[in-house]
Amino acid sequence: MTHLKRFLPVLDWGKHYDRATATSDLVAAIVVTIMLIPQSLAYALLAGLPAEVGLYASILPLVAYAIFGTSRALAVGPVAVVSLMTASAVGEFARQGTPEYLGAAIVLAFLSGLVLIVMGVLRLGFLANLLSHPVISGFITASGLLIAASQLKHVFGIPANGHTLYEILLSLGRQLDDLSWITLCLGASTTAFLFWVRKGLKQRLLGLGFKPFSADLLTKAGPVGAVAVTTLLSATLDLSERGVRVVGDIPSGLPMPQIPPFDSELWLALAGPALLISVIGFVESVSVAQTLAAKKRQRIDPDQELIGLGASNIASAVSGGYPVTGGFARSVVNFDAGAATPAAGAFTAVGIAFATLFLTPLLTYLPQATLAATIIVAVLSLVDFGAVKRTFIYSKSDFAAMAATILVTLLFGVEAGVITGVSLSIALHLYRNSRPHMAIVGIVPGTEHFRNVERHNVVTGDRVLTIRVDESLFFANTRFLEDRIHALVAERPDIEHVVLMCPAVNEIDASALESLEEINHRLSDAGVCFHLSEVKGPVMDRLQRTDFLDHLSGQVFLSQYDALSELDPLSAHISESRTPKKRAQSNVWAGPEI
């Protein structure tokens, strides 16, 4: 039963489900449904798909996640970044508005689902760690700018295209003569209204005496209000006859289950984009889920999240939708509204299904400019230039990766941006680990502590060279370790002992073991003994399974103080002879060790 609960978390939280929990979930579902209806329509258009496809992608995926997901607050559905990536990927194989385009989007969702499920079964949730936060932040910032730019054509009422920022702006500039002033007024006013709703409506309502829940609900319903008002204006004034583009007829009814069309060439061509969408969607989703879970001292299982998201994408494909993932904004709303279990998502699915059955005829005259305004306001909240500044101040290498991701995404498109981000994340990780920090250390007078000679006033002798390595030893950094030790020894002709201090070494792989053997051999030829100190238990266990310790020219010491006391008693005695006052003056903290 426990094994089954791992793959079906609903069996765990479902047995404790009661009326109070159901009430909390139902209230959260109402709030999220109000928010999700205009978002689903807008994101479908962003993906180049009919508006109703966004609704289809917001029904069965929520039910599937409620069964297989582990987050109590994550709300799954169409999101801006994945919608943009879908348009970019599918646009290579079919023209928007054709059955082939929709079929390719469905295949993309199905393939993404398969990729995520396979990753979950293989327990590959840790792969999310390969994408550094600065790279993810840079990609999302660039995607937000790209998405907002792509929606300007709907706000201006002009035809435009392009997958990069340069192409989009160039296309817009060429079409400005065809600008529709009515559409611009409608789109600009709606955008301004939605920004005001997001920034100031809640505080205004609280100031008028509204209760927090009511004020929050009305704020979240702002986009629905914009849809209702602009649709009414469009229908009353017959704006579609004056050049304002509207959504048009949206089919009523629920989608019939279907099997994604099988075309081996198309499936192979979409496999790469499906993998990229899966990775980005999972990283975004699991980041949100972990943040919200921590607030209630809950936990999520990243491997099971892969399965939950995979099932959601397959459910989306079966119901005629496109790739989905956990959305940041709607998940936060779901959490704040009191969602207690994933059942809130299932209730939201019921609300979306009701809207699909009965409300779609009311959206015929909905201006596309309104949906564009909804997207622009939503995605610009993802743009975080402050993170760019903070990263620049803190780490120049992380900033370089972040800036490169932003520029590549803006200039060459989202797929190139994703590949650049993943490649830079892995490259930075390998680079940093290939050059571990190594410090020559000495003993702090009057203590048994050892610190960096460049940062502290410490005692060192002429006979013993102690080198502390602050990283595990593996194939990527062994050559650096060898070169550094031999260079330091070459600079000190009086050295008789080299001690490699290993308090931060959690692992020594086979390549590193060979390097240690080579270091030991070369130092022995030079008449220098090679020692280890403060080796961790698991690392020592592995060393003892080899003959390395039998050939070691020196010893393995439990502590560095033991090593100094035996190899250089004079330095240890000098340290002990310092007065407490002298020690206090010489051991002033000089900042963190680097």
PDB file of all heavy atoms in Angstrom, residues 247-282:
ATOM      1  N   VAL A 247     -12.520  37.630 -30.629  1.00  0.00           N
ATOM      2  CA  VAL A 247     -12.220  36.199 -30.541  1.00  0.00           C
ATOM      3  C   VAL A 247     -13.052  35.407 -31.535  1.00  0.00           C
ATOM      4  O   VAL A 247     -12.580  34.454 -32.164  1.00  0.00           O
ATOM      5  CB  VAL A 247     -12.450  35.698 -29.100  1.00  0.00           C
ATOM      6  CG1 VAL A 247     -12.334  34.181 -29.033  1.00  0.00           C
ATOM      7  CG2 VAL A 247     -11.457  36.352 -28.151  1.00  0.00           C
ATOM      8  N   GLY A 248     -14.300  35.789 -31.710  1.00  0.00           N
ATOM      9  CA  GLY A 248     -15.182  35.071 -32.629  1.00  0.00           C
ATOM     10  C   GLY A 248     -15.898  33.929 -31.935  1.00  0.00           C
ATOM     11  O   GLY A 248     -15.882  33.794 -30.705  1.00  0.00           O
ATOM     12  N   ASP A 249     -16.538  33.106 -32.726  1.00  0.00           N
ATOM     13  CA  ASP A 249     -17.316  32.000 -32.163  1.00  0.00           C
ATOM     14  C   ASP A 249     -16.404  30.989 -31.476  1.00  0.00           C
ATOM     15  O   ASP A 249     -15.406  30.524 -32.043  1.00  0.00           O
ATOM     16  CB  ASP A 249     -18.107  31.292 -33.262  1.00  0.00           C
ATOM     17  CG  ASP A 249     -19.203  32.193 -33.833  1.00  0.00           C
ATOM     18  OD1 ASP A 249     -19.715  33.040 -33.074  1.00  0.00           O
ATOM     19  OD2 ASP A 249     -19.520  32.056 -35.022  1.00  0.00           O
ATOM     20  N   ILE A 250     -16.732  30.671 -30.236  1.00  0.00           N
ATOM     21  CA  ILE A 250     -16.028  29.648 -29.471  1.00  0.00           C
ATOM     22  C   ILE A 250     -16.972  28.474 -29.293  1.00  0.00           C
ATOM     23  O   ILE A 250     -18.055  28.633 -28.725  1.00  0.00           O
ATOM     24  CB  ILE A 250     -15.586  30.174 -28.095  1.00  0.00           C
ATOM     25  CG1 ILE A 250     -14.644  31.373 -28.270  1.00  0.00           C
ATOM     26  CG2 ILE A 250     -14.891  29.078 -27.298  1.00  0.00           C
ATOM     27  CD1 ILE A 250     -14.206  31.992 -26.955  1.00  0.00           C
ATOM     28  N   PRO A 251     -16.614  27.299 -29.760  1.00  0.00           N
ATOM     29  CA  PRO A 251     -17.511  26.148 -29.646  1.00  0.00           C
ATOM     30  C   PRO A 251     -17.872  25.846 -28.201  1.00  0.00           C
ATOM     31  O   PRO A 251     -17.014  25.882 -27.308  1.00  0.00           O
ATOM     32  CB  PRO A 251     -16.699  25.002 -30.259  1.00  0.00           C
ATOM     33  CG  PRO A 251     -15.667  25.667 -31.103  1.00  0.00           C
ATOM     34  CD  PRO A 251     -15.353  26.966 -30.425  1.00  0.00           C
ATOM     35  N   SER A 252     -19.140  25.579 -27.976  1.00  0.00           N
ATOM     36  CA  SER A 252     -19.595  25.172 -26.649  1.00  0.00           C
ATOM     37  C   SER A 252     -19.412  23.658 -26.505  1.00  0.00           C
ATOM     38  O   SER A 252     -19.327  22.929 -27.494  1.00  0.00           O
ATOM     39  CB  SER A 252     -21.060  25.539 -26.447  1.00  0.00           C
ATOM     40  OG  SER A 252     -21.254  26.932 -26.544  1.00  0.00           O
ATOM     41  N   GLY A 253     -19.362  23.221 -25.279  1.00  0.00           N
ATOM     42  CA  GLY A 253     -19.268  21.791 -25.029  1.00  0.00           C
ATOM     43  C   GLY A 253     -17.866  21.357 -24.672  1.00  0.00           C
ATOM     44  O   GLY A 253     -16.877  22.050 -24.942  1.00  0.00           O
ATOM     45  N   LEU A 254     -17.803  20.184 -24.075  1.00  0.00           N
ATOM     46  CA  LEU A 254     -16.533  19.632 -23.649  1.00  0.00           C
ATOM     47  C   LEU A 254     -15.861  18.892 -24.799  1.00  0.00           C
ATOM     48  O   LEU A 254     -16.542  18.355 -25.682  1.00  0.00           O
ATOM     49  CB  LEU A 254     -16.747  18.683 -22.468  1.00  0.00           C
ATOM     50  CG  LEU A 254     -17.345  19.324 -21.213  1.00  0.00           C
ATOM     51  CD1 LEU A 254     -17.599  18.263 -20.149  1.00  0.00           C
ATOM     52  CD2 LEU A 254     -16.416  20.400 -20.671  1.00  0.00           C
ATOM     53  N   PRO A 255     -14.542  18.853 -24.794  1.00  0.00           N
ATOM     54  CA  PRO A 255     -13.837  18.156 -25.881  1.00  0.00           C
ATOM     55  C   PRO A 255     -14.016  16.649 -25.784  1.00  0.00           C
ATOM     56  O   PRO A 255     -14.107  16.085 -24.698  1.00  0.00           O
ATOM     57  CB  PRO A 255     -12.379  18.551 -25.646  1.00  0.00           C
ATOM     58  CG  PRO A 255     -12.292  18.807 -24.179  1.00  0.00           C
ATOM     59  CD  PRO A 255     -13.609  19.414 -23.801  1.00  0.00           C
ATOM     60  N   MET A 256     -14.091  16.013 -26.923  1.00  0.00           N
ATOM     61  CA  MET A 256     -14.155  14.554 -26.953  1.00  0.00           C
ATOM     62  C   MET A 256     -12.748  13.981 -26.803  1.00  0.00           C
ATOM     63  O   MET A 256     -11.793  14.487 -27.406  1.00  0.00           O
ATOM     64  CB  MET A 256     -14.759  14.081 -28.278  1.00  0.00           C
ATOM     65  CG  MET A 256     -16.234  14.441 -28.449  1.00  0.00           C
ATOM     66  SD  MET A 256     -17.275  13.636 -27.201  1.00  0.00           S
ATOM     67  CE  MET A 256     -17.070  11.918 -27.669  1.00  0.00           C
ATOM     68  N   PRO A 257     -12.590  12.949 -25.986  1.00  0.00           N
ATOM     69  CA  PRO A 257     -11.266  12.322 -25.862  1.00  0.00           C
ATOM     70  C   PRO A 257     -10.755  11.862 -27.220  1.00  0.00           C
ATOM     71  O   PRO A 257     -11.510  11.375 -28.054  1.00  0.00           O
ATOM     72  CB  PRO A 257     -11.525  11.131 -24.931  1.00  0.00           C
ATOM     73  CG  PRO A 257     -12.752  11.502 -24.169  1.00  0.00           C
ATOM     74  CD  PRO A 257     -13.596  12.299 -25.120  1.00  0.00           C
ATOM     75  N   GLN A 258      -9.457  12.046 -27.433  1.00  0.00           N
ATOM     76  CA  GLN A 258      -8.876  11.686 -28.715  1.00  0.00           C
ATOM     77  C   GLN A 258      -7.465  11.181 -28.524  1.00  0.00           C
ATOM     78  O   GLN A 258      -6.811  11.458 -27.518  1.00  0.00           O
ATOM     79  CB  GLN A 258      -8.871  12.890 -29.647  1.00  0.00           C
ATOM     80  CG  GLN A 258      -8.137  14.093 -29.100  1.00  0.00           C
ATOM     81  CD  GLN A 258      -8.181  15.291 -30.018  1.00  0.00           C
ATOM     82  OE1 GLN A 258      -7.616  15.252 -31.096  1.00  0.00           O
ATOM     83  NE2 GLN A 258      -8.874  16.339 -29.596  1.00  0.00           N
ATOM     84  N   ILE A 259      -7.012  10.435 -29.517  1.00  0.00           N
ATOM     85  CA  ILE A 259      -5.639   9.941 -29.519  1.00  0.00           C
ATOM     86  C   ILE A 259      -4.804  10.885 -30.374  1.00  0.00           C
ATOM     87  O   ILE A 259      -5.207  11.223 -31.489  1.00  0.00           O
ATOM     88  CB  ILE A 259      -5.565   8.503 -30.085  1.00  0.00           C
ATOM     89  CG1 ILE A 259      -6.383   7.556 -29.206  1.00  0.00           C
ATOM     90  CG2 ILE A 259      -4.112   8.033 -30.157  1.00  0.00           C
ATOM     91  CD1 ILE A 259      -6.446   6.151 -29.743  1.00  0.00           C
ATOM     92  N   PRO A 260      -3.673  11.362 -29.866  1.00  0.00           N
ATOM     93  CA  PRO A 260      -2.843  12.276 -30.660  1.00  0.00           C
ATOM     94  C   PRO A 260      -2.489  11.660 -32.003  1.00  0.00           C
ATOM     95  O   PRO A 260      -2.221  10.450 -32.086  1.00  0.00           O
ATOM     96  CB  PRO A 260      -1.596  12.469 -29.783  1.00  0.00           C
ATOM     97  CG  PRO A 260      -2.055  12.162 -28.399  1.00  0.00           C
ATOM     98  CD  PRO A 260      -3.094  11.099 -28.540  1.00  0.00           C
ATOM     99  N   PRO A 261      -2.506  12.444 -33.065  1.00  0.00           N
ATOM    100  CA  PRO A 261      -2.168  11.906 -34.388  1.00  0.00           C
ATOM    101  C   PRO A 261      -0.737  11.388 -34.419  1.00  0.00           C
ATOM    102  O   PRO A 261       0.176  12.027 -33.894  1.00  0.00           O
ATOM    103  CB  PRO A 261      -2.335  13.121 -35.312  1.00  0.00           C
ATOM    104  CG  PRO A 261      -2.201  14.311 -34.421  1.00  0.00           C
ATOM    105  CD  PRO A 261      -2.768  13.891 -33.105  1.00  0.00           C
ATOM    106  N   PHE A 262      -0.553  10.212 -35.016  1.00  0.00           N
ATOM    107  CA  PHE A 262       0.787   9.621 -35.064  1.00  0.00           C
ATOM    108  C   PHE A 262       1.417   9.867 -36.425  1.00  0.00           C
ATOM    109  O   PHE A 262       0.900   9.457 -37.458  1.00  0.00           O
ATOM    110  CB  PHE A 262       0.749   8.123 -34.785  1.00  0.00           C
ATOM    111  CG  PHE A 262       2.122   7.492 -34.805  1.00  0.00           C
ATOM    112  CD1 PHE A 262       2.972   7.662 -33.725  1.00  0.00           C
ATOM    113  CD2 PHE A 262       2.558   6.779 -35.911  1.00  0.00           C
ATOM    114  CE1 PHE A 262       4.247   7.116 -33.741  1.00  0.00           C
ATOM    115  CE2 PHE A 262       3.831   6.229 -35.934  1.00  0.00           C
ATOM    116  CZ  PHE A 262       4.677   6.388 -34.842  1.00  0.00           C
ATOM    117  N   ASP A 263       2.520  10.560 -36.405  1.00  0.00           N
ATOM    118  CA  ASP A 263       3.329  10.817 -37.589  1.00  0.00           C
ATOM    119  C   ASP A 263       4.776  10.718 -37.124  1.00  0.00           C
ATOM    120  O   ASP A 263       5.261  11.585 -36.397  1.00  0.00           O
ATOM    121  CB  ASP A 263       3.022  12.204 -38.158  1.00  0.00           C
ATOM    122  CG  ASP A 263       3.832  12.532 -39.409  1.00  0.00           C
ATOM    123  OD1 ASP A 263       4.896  11.919 -39.602  1.00  0.00           O
ATOM    124  OD2 ASP A 263       3.394  13.393 -40.191  1.00  0.00           O
ATOM    125  N   SER A 264       5.442   9.655 -37.507  1.00  0.00           N
ATOM    126  CA  SER A 264       6.779   9.385 -36.970  1.00  0.00           C
ATOM    127  C   SER A 264       7.742  10.547 -37.186  1.00  0.00           C
ATOM    128  O   SER A 264       8.526  10.898 -36.293  1.00  0.00           O
ATOM    129  CB  SER A 264       7.355   8.111 -37.598  1.00  0.00           C
ATOM    130  OG  SER A 264       7.408   8.230 -39.013  1.00  0.00           O
ATOM    131  N   GLU A 265       7.688  11.183 -38.354  1.00  0.00           N
ATOM    132  CA  GLU A 265       8.578  12.308 -38.618  1.00  0.00           C
ATOM    133  C   GLU A 265       8.271  13.485 -37.697  1.00  0.00           C
ATOM    134  O   GLU A 265       9.176  14.125 -37.165  1.00  0.00           O
ATOM    135  CB  GLU A 265       8.450  12.739 -40.085  1.00  0.00           C
ATOM    136  CG  GLU A 265       8.990  11.715 -41.076  1.00  0.00           C
ATOM    137  CD  GLU A 265       8.945  12.238 -42.501  1.00  0.00           C
ATOM    138  OE1 GLU A 265       8.564  13.423 -42.686  1.00  0.00           O
ATOM    139  OE2 GLU A 265       9.291  11.482 -43.419  1.00  0.00           O
ATOM    140  N   LEU A 266       6.971  13.760 -37.505  1.00  0.00           N
ATOM    141  CA  LEU A 266       6.581  14.863 -36.622  1.00  0.00           C
ATOM    142  C   LEU A 266       6.980  14.567 -35.184  1.00  0.00           C
ATOM    143  O   LEU A 266       7.495  15.444 -34.485  1.00  0.00           O
ATOM    144  CB  LEU A 266       5.068  15.094 -36.719  1.00  0.00           C
ATOM    145  CG  LEU A 266       4.500  16.204 -35.827  1.00  0.00           C
ATOM    146  CD1 LEU A 266       5.073  17.556 -36.223  1.00  0.00           C
ATOM    147  CD2 LEU A 266       2.978  16.227 -35.900  1.00  0.00           C
ATOM    148  N   TRP A 267       6.752  13.340 -34.740  1.00  0.00           N
ATOM    149  CA  TRP A 267       7.100  12.984 -33.367  1.00  0.00           C
ATOM    150  C   TRP A 267       8.600  13.129 -33.127  1.00  0.00           C
ATOM    151  O   TRP A 267       9.021  13.644 -32.084  1.00  0.00           O
ATOM    152  CB  TRP A 267       6.648  11.552 -33.069  1.00  0.00           C
ATOM    153  CG  TRP A 267       5.169  11.437 -32.796  1.00  0.00           C
ATOM    154  CD1 TRP A 267       4.157  11.951 -33.544  1.00  0.00           C
ATOM    155  CD2 TRP A 267       4.560  10.766 -31.693  1.00  0.00           C
ATOM    156  NE1 TRP A 267       2.944  11.640 -32.987  1.00  0.00           N
ATOM    157  CE2 TRP A 267       3.153  10.902 -31.844  1.00  0.00           C
ATOM    158  CE3 TRP A 267       5.045  10.044 -30.610  1.00  0.00           C
ATOM    159  CZ2 TRP A 267       2.248  10.352 -30.948  1.00  0.00           C
ATOM    160  CZ3 TRP A 267       4.142   9.486 -29.713  1.00  0.00           C
ATOM    161  CH2 TRP A 267       2.755   9.652 -29.878  1.00  0.00           C
ATOM    162  N   LEU A 268       9.398  12.671 -34.073  1.00  0.00           N
ATOM    163  CA  LEU A 268      10.853  12.793 -33.911  1.00  0.00           C
ATOM    164  C   LEU A 268      11.285  14.250 -33.925  1.00  0.00           C
ATOM    165  O   LEU A 268      12.157  14.665 -33.158  1.00  0.00           O
ATOM    166  CB  LEU A 268      11.558  12.024 -35.031  1.00  0.00           C
ATOM    167  CG  LEU A 268      11.518  10.494 -34.934  1.00  0.00           C
ATOM    168  CD1 LEU A 268      12.126   9.868 -36.181  1.00  0.00           C
ATOM    169  CD2 LEU A 268      12.256  10.010 -33.690  1.00  0.00           C
ATOM    170  N   ALA A 269      10.655  15.048 -34.789  1.00  0.00           N
ATOM    171  CA  ALA A 269      11.019  16.468 -34.883  1.00  0.00           C
ATOM    172  C   ALA A 269      10.643  17.231 -33.622  1.00  0.00           C
ATOM    173  O   ALA A 269      11.332  18.188 -33.236  1.00  0.00           O
ATOM    174  CB  ALA A 269      10.343  17.094 -36.104  1.00  0.00           C
ATOM    175  N   LEU A 270       9.551  16.821 -32.966  1.00  0.00           N
ATOM    176  CA  LEU A 270       9.090  17.531 -31.767  1.00  0.00           C
ATOM    177  C   LEU A 270       9.693  16.972 -30.476  1.00  0.00           C
ATOM    178  O   LEU A 270       9.429  17.506 -29.398  1.00  0.00           O
ATOM    179  CB  LEU A 270       7.561  17.467 -31.677  1.00  0.00           C
ATOM    180  CG  LEU A 270       6.781  18.304 -32.699  1.00  0.00           C
ATOM    181  CD1 LEU A 270       5.285  18.062 -32.557  1.00  0.00           C
ATOM    182  CD2 LEU A 270       7.091  19.780 -32.538  1.00  0.00           C
ATOM    183  N   ALA A 271      10.481  15.913 -30.579  1.00  0.00           N
ATOM    184  CA  ALA A 271      11.047  15.305 -29.371  1.00  0.00           C
ATOM    185  C   ALA A 271      11.957  16.281 -28.631  1.00  0.00           C
ATOM    186  O   ALA A 271      11.900  16.391 -27.400  1.00  0.00           O
ATOM    187  CB  ALA A 271      11.810  14.033 -29.735  1.00  0.00           C
ATOM    188  N   GLY A 272      12.797  17.003 -29.386  1.00  0.00           N
ATOM    189  CA  GLY A 272      13.690  17.978 -28.745  1.00  0.00           C
ATOM    190  C   GLY A 272      12.943  19.097 -28.056  1.00  0.00           C
ATOM    191  O   GLY A 272      13.170  19.367 -26.865  1.00  0.00           O
ATOM    192  N   PRO A 273      12.019  19.795 -28.764  1.00  0.00           N
ATOM    193  CA  PRO A 273      11.222  20.824 -28.089  1.00  0.00           C
ATOM    194  C   PRO A 273      10.434  20.290 -26.904  1.00  0.00           C
ATOM    195  O   PRO A 273      10.283  20.985 -25.897  1.00  0.00           O
ATOM    196  CB  PRO A 273      10.289  21.316 -29.208  1.00  0.00           C
ATOM    197  CG  PRO A 273      11.044  21.057 -30.468  1.00  0.00           C
ATOM    198  CD  PRO A 273      11.801  19.794 -30.226  1.00  0.00           C
ATOM    199  N   ALA A 274       9.938  19.049 -27.009  1.00  0.00           N
ATOM    200  CA  ALA A 274       9.186  18.465 -25.892  1.00  0.00           C
ATOM    201  C   ALA A 274      10.071  18.317 -24.661  1.00  0.00           C
ATOM    202  O   ALA A 274       9.636  18.570 -23.527  1.00  0.00           O
ATOM    203  CB  ALA A 274       8.609  17.107 -26.301  1.00  0.00           C
ATOM    204  N   LEU A 275      11.324  17.928 -24.879  1.00  0.00           N
ATOM    205  CA  LEU A 275      12.254  17.790 -23.755  1.00  0.00           C
ATOM    206  C   LEU A 275      12.529  19.145 -23.113  1.00  0.00           C
ATOM    207  O   LEU A 275      12.520  19.276 -21.879  1.00  0.00           O
ATOM    208  CB  LEU A 275      13.561  17.164 -24.243  1.00  0.00           C
ATOM    209  CG  LEU A 275      14.680  17.043 -23.196  1.00  0.00           C
ATOM    210  CD1 LEU A 275      14.235  16.151 -22.039  1.00  0.00           C
ATOM    211  CD2 LEU A 275      15.949  16.485 -23.837  1.00  0.00           C
ATOM    212  N   LEU A 276      12.756  20.175 -23.937  1.00  0.00           N
ATOM    213  CA  LEU A 276      13.017  21.508 -23.399  1.00  0.00           C
ATOM    214  C   LEU A 276      11.814  22.034 -22.630  1.00  0.00           C
ATOM    215  O   LEU A 276      11.960  22.589 -21.528  1.00  0.00           O
ATOM    216  CB  LEU A 276      13.365  22.463 -24.540  1.00  0.00           C
ATOM    217  CG  LEU A 276      14.659  22.174 -25.304  1.00  0.00           C
ATOM    218  CD1 LEU A 276      14.838  23.179 -26.426  1.00  0.00           C
ATOM    219  CD2 LEU A 276      15.856  22.204 -24.370  1.00  0.00           C
ATOM    220  N   ILE A 277      10.626  21.870 -23.193  1.00  0.00           N
ATOM    221  CA  ILE A 277       9.411  22.335 -22.514  1.00  0.00           C
ATOM    222  C   ILE A 277       9.220  21.580 -21.209  1.00  0.00           C
ATOM    223  O   ILE A 277       8.826  22.160 -20.187  1.00  0.00           O
ATOM    224  CB  ILE A 277       8.192  22.159 -23.440  1.00  0.00           C
ATOM    225  CG1 ILE A 277       8.245  23.203 -24.563  1.00  0.00           C
ATOM    226  CG2 ILE A 277       6.884  22.293 -22.665  1.00  0.00           C
ATOM    227  CD1 ILE A 277       7.160  23.045 -25.599  1.00  0.00           C
ATOM    228  N   SER A 278       9.507  20.285 -21.216  1.00  0.00           N
ATOM    229  CA  SER A 278       9.361  19.483 -20.003  1.00  0.00           C
ATOM    230  C   SER A 278      10.282  19.978 -18.899  1.00  0.00           C
ATOM    231  O   SER A 278       9.867  20.126 -17.740  1.00  0.00           O
ATOM    232  CB  SER A 278       9.652  18.007 -20.310  1.00  0.00           C
ATOM    233  OG  SER A 278       8.767  17.494 -21.271  1.00  0.00           O
ATOM    234  N   VAL A 279      11.537  20.245 -19.253  1.00  0.00           N
ATOM    235  CA  VAL A 279      12.512  20.680 -18.245  1.00  0.00           C
ATOM    236  C   VAL A 279      12.142  22.051 -17.686  1.00  0.00           C
ATOM    237  O   VAL A 279      12.104  22.243 -16.460  1.00  0.00           O
ATOM    238  CB  VAL A 279      13.931  20.716 -18.859  1.00  0.00           C
ATOM    239  CG1 VAL A 279      14.915  21.363 -17.881  1.00  0.00           C
ATOM    240  CG2 VAL A 279      14.392  19.309 -19.203  1.00  0.00           C
ATOM    241  N   ILE A 280      11.842  23.001 -18.583  1.00  0.00           N
ATOM    242  CA  ILE A 280      11.490  24.345 -18.124  1.00  0.00           C
ATOM    243  C   ILE A 280      10.203  24.314 -17.310  1.00  0.00           C
ATOM    244  O   ILE A 280      10.092  24.938 -16.239  1.00  0.00           O
ATOM    245  CB  ILE A 280      11.339  25.304 -19.324  1.00  0.00           C
ATOM    246  CG1 ILE A 280      12.701  25.555 -19.969  1.00  0.00           C
ATOM    247  CG2 ILE A 280      10.729  26.631 -18.882  1.00  0.00           C
ATOM    248  CD1 ILE A 280      13.713  26.224 -19.068  1.00  0.00           C
ATOM    249  N   GLY A 281       9.200  23.590 -17.806  1.00  0.00           N
ATOM    250  CA  GLY A 281       7.937  23.497 -17.072  1.00  0.00           C
ATOM    251  C   GLY A 281       8.114  22.870 -15.706  1.00  0.00           C
ATOM    252  O   GLY A 281       7.538  23.328 -14.712  1.00  0.00           O
ATOM    253  N   PHE A 282       8.931  21.822 -15.628  1.00  0.00           N
ATOM    254  CA  PHE A 282       9.152  21.159 -14.344  1.00  0.00           C
ATOM    255  C   PHE A 282       9.883  22.070 -13.373  1.00  0.00           C
ATOM    256  O   PHE A 282       9.517  22.152 -12.196  1.00  0.00           O
ATOM    257  CB  PHE A 282       9.949  19.874 -14.561  1.00  0.00           C
ATOM    258  CG  PHE A 282      10.408  19.228 -13.286  1.00  0.00           C
ATOM    259  CD1 PHE A 282       9.493  18.727 -12.376  1.00  0.00           C
ATOM    260  CD2 PHE A 282      11.757  19.145 -12.983  1.00  0.00           C
ATOM    261  CE1 PHE A 282       9.908  18.140 -11.186  1.00  0.00           C
ATOM    262  CE2 PHE A 282      12.188  18.563 -11.802  1.00  0.00           C
ATOM    263  CZ  PHE A 282      11.259  18.062 -10.904  1.00  0.00           C
TER     264      PHE A 282
END
